[in-house]
Amino acid sequence: MAVRVLRARGAAWAGGLLRRAAPCSLLPRLRTWTSSSNRSREDSWLKSLFVRKVDPRKDAHSNLLAKKETSNLYKLQFHNVKPECLEAYNKICQEVLPKIHEDKHYPCTLVGTWNTWYGEQDQAVHLWRYEGGYPALTEVMNKLRENKEFLEFRKARSDMLLSRKNQLLLEFSFWNEPVPRSGPNIYELRSYQLRPGTMIEWGNYWARAIRFRQDGNEAVGGFFSQIGQLYMVHHLWAYRDLQTREDIRNAAWHKHGWEELVYYTDSAVGCVSSKPAYSP
């Protein structure tokens, strides 16, 4: 498991903890069970392979798992910045990106922007929402090609970057929609690389599991990839600080049913990583 902490920079958010997938071995078991309990759960897990709450063959995963009442599309950007350029990169992002966010002619919202705090250093992460789905994304991209200030920004930014990548995401129907929060806060983006064919099971189990993680209003948003690296799931959480994060996560293990859901969802995961972020 790789853990990265991000420092949020000048968006609608007050801070952040983010997790992103990196190559890793099988996850260590977080709790131990008796052998009889193990056998029982293994039997239940085997049965679950033959029982689906949703039949994925009847429709696309995006239609089965995404929110029906909205047509929002999200873009998650990862920019690896030259260490000596990070301050300048943050400065031009703060000058240009909020203008796009605030311009009513662009159907998009800058949900959050972060720098790595712990883990992968000198990295910027941006989360955009496009109100209207793919047509809104296309509209924004076309308008940006005619935006002289943005073109100058992009040229200056390219000289500061080592690499960059992005993903287009949809939000799970059972998660909260990301909204601005007062801060300072810490956010954590936990990213999971699922095994192909397990997305429906993941969604079914997390639709039940999310209720265990709502007491502290820590659940911010849940997404799954559509374009870019596929079979990726991202969960965004908010905490007051790192100790609060630790306390809330430990408290979940004392709630009946939580460990069973973790046990089942672990079987779908090939890799997981954590990227925590902080906003000044």
Side-chain angles (χ1 to χ4, degrees):
M1 177 183 291
V3 180
R4 299 175 179 85
V5 180
L6 309 179
R7 181 172 183 150
R9 306 294 304 183
W13 297 92
L17 269 181
L18 297 178
R19 280 196 176 179
R20 188 164 61 82
C24 63
S25 58
L26 294 177
L27 296 176
R29 183 61 54 201
L30 299 179
R31 291 291 185 275
T32 57
W33 296 275
T34 63
S35 59
S36 60
S37 177
N38 274 335
R39 287 194 298 272
S40 176
R41 288 197 178 119
E42 288 172 0
D43 291 341
S44 298
W45 179 81
L46 288 173
K47 291 178 182 178
S48 74
L49 293 178
F50 303 99
V51 179
R52 294 178 184 266
K53 294 181 180 179
V54 178
D55 189 343
R57 295 169 294 181
K58 293 182 179 180
D59 206 345
H61 287 183
S62 57
N63 294 332
L64 295 171
L65 296 171
K67 291 184 177 180
K68 300 294 190 300
E69 64 274 17
T70 67
S71 57
N72 291 333
L73 179 72
Y74 290 81
K75 180 167 67 176
L76 190 60
Q77 298 175 304
F78 300 99
H79 291 174
N80 293 314
V81 185
K82 297 176 182 178
E84 66 274 15
C85 297
L86 187 59
E87 185 175 350
Y89 172 91
N90 289 331
K91 185 175 185 295
I92 64 170
C93 285
Q94 290 172 10
E95 292 172 351
V96 177
L97 299 186
K99 295 180 182 179
I100 301 171
H101 165 83
E102 296 165 1
D103 192 330
K104 64 180 180 181
H105 297 100
Y106 289 89
C108 63
T109 301
L110 181 59
V111 178
T113 181
W114 298 266
N115 287 155
T116 302
W117 190 12
Y118 293 125
E120 190 170 356
Q121 298 291 283
D122 305 312
Q123 185 182 71
V125 179
H126 309 289
L127 179 62
W128 293 87
R129 177 172 57 229
Y130 297 89
E131 294 87 4
Y134 292 107
L137 172 66
T138 300
E139 179 182 348
V140 170
M141 294 299 101
N142 288 337
K143 288 181 176 179
L144 288 177
R145 292 189 185 99
E146 305 298 325
N147 185 324
K148 182 178 179 181
E149 183 180 21
F150 180 79
L151 294 177
E152 292 175 351
F153 157 78
R154 189 171 64 178
K155 182 178 179 180
R157 184 190 65 182
S158 65
D159 294 332
M160 303 177 185
L161 298 181
L162 295 171
S163 64
R164 60 193 178 103
K165 68 176 181 178
N166 58 30
Q167 295 176 11
L168 294 182
L169 316 169
L170 295 177
E171 54 186 332
F172 282 110
S173 60
F174 49 85
W175 270 80
N176 309 326
E177 182 171 339
V179 295
R181 300 184 178 210
S182 58
N185 291 309
I186 286 177
Y187 292 85
E188 181 176 24
L189 180 65
R190 297 177 67 91
S191 296
Y192 304 85
Q193 179 68 64
L194 302 190
R195 296 186 176 91
T198 60
M199 183 67 75
I200 294 297
E201 283 80 4
W202 177 275
N204 284 335
Y205 284 122
W206 261 101
R208 296 159 54 196
I210 190 64
R211 72 178 188 269
F212 292 96
R213 298 295 307 277
Q214 296 281 13
D215 293 347
N217 195 33
E218 67 267 23
V220 176
F223 314 92
F224 59 98
S225 62
Q226 286 291 283
I227 296 179
Q229 187 172 351
L230 298 179
Y231 307 111
M232 288 293 301
V233 169
H234 302 281
H235 291 174
L236 185 62
W237 308 91
Y239 307 99
R240 187 174 68 249
D241 51 38
L242 287 173
Q243 186 58 53
T244 302
R245 169 188 178 272
E246 181 75 3
D247 294 341
I248 289 176
R249 288 175 56 80
N250 286 339
W253 289 98
H254 298 287
K255 299 177 181 180
H256 178 70
W258 171 254
E259 66 175 29
E260 183 175 3
L261 292 169
V262 171
Y263 179 84
Y264 290 147
T265 55
D266 274 0
S267 66
V269 177
C271 185
V272 62
S273 68
S274 171
K275 184 187 292 290
Y278 168 73
S279 172

